Amino acid sequence: MTKPFVLVQLSDPHIGAEWGGPDAVGRLAAAVGTVRALPQQPDAVLVSGDLADNATDAEYGQLQDLLRLIEAPSYVLPGNHDDRDALHRSFGVPGAGGEPVQYAADLGALRLVVLDTTRPGEDRGELDAERLVWLEAELAA
């Protein structure tokens, strides 16, 4: 029997946030502990934003330290509190100069398509024409 592919998604860790309690790192550490206790360890981890609350390199460093404990490749997607350049710098995702974070990764039989819908400085997101063209091409692949 073939072992199933396990993808874990962690969402909105808001590292650095002080609202909702002062311990965002502790909450994420507890989630990571739960993942590590799974009977089958994940093959990959998707972390969707908001990854950090203030988008500082230190916050992203704390996130990276916790994700390393899972011992699976991590893939990140920003939220409206995240900074694209900081994500490019900290996580090595493609792009630079404020470009949206968008990439695809082949994970065995699974193709993970990561598409940034954030509008810097705004709470809402959107898919513009350029993102939709890129998405259509990735899905066709």
Side-chain angles (χ1 to χ4, degrees):
M1 179 177 204
T2 305
K3 178 182 118 177
F5 186 91
V6 176
L7 174 66
V8 168
Q9 181 179 4
L10 301 172
S11 184
D12 291 276
H14 279 275
I15 300 298
E18 295 187 12
W19 51 267
D23 196 13
V25 172
R27 289 189 301 272
L28 180 59
V32 166
T34 299
V35 170
R36 290 175 46 117
L38 291 171
Q40 180 182 332
Q41 289 303 289
D43 297 288
V45 178
L46 172 62
V47 186
S48 51
D50 296 308
L51 307 179
D53 206 59
N54 304 295
T56 67
D57 289 340
E59 290 170 346
Y60 293 124
Q62 289 179 300
L63 177 63
Q64 288 173 314
D65 290 344
L66 287 168
L67 292 176
R68 279 188 204 101
L69 297 173
I70 298 176
E71 297 181 11
S74 297
Y75 301 89
V76 296
L77 176 64
N80 64 305
H81 284 242
D82 293 306
D83 178 78
R84 291 172 173 165
D85 287 335
L87 288 179
H88 295 304
R89 192 172 53 249
S90 296
F91 293 92
V93 294
E99 292 176 356
V101 174
Q102 60 187 48
Y103 59 95
D106 290 318
L107 310 175
L110 175 71
R111 183 164 177 82
L112 178 66
V113 178
V114 176
L115 181 57
D116 180 354
T117 63
T118 61
R119 293 176 53 95
E122 297 183 31
D123 287 341
R124 71 183 186 96
E126 75 175 359
L127 289 173
D128 61 18
E130 188 176 345
R131 301 290 79 70
L132 290 171
V133 167
W134 180 86
L135 178 60
E136 184 175 336
E138 287 300 317
L139 294 176

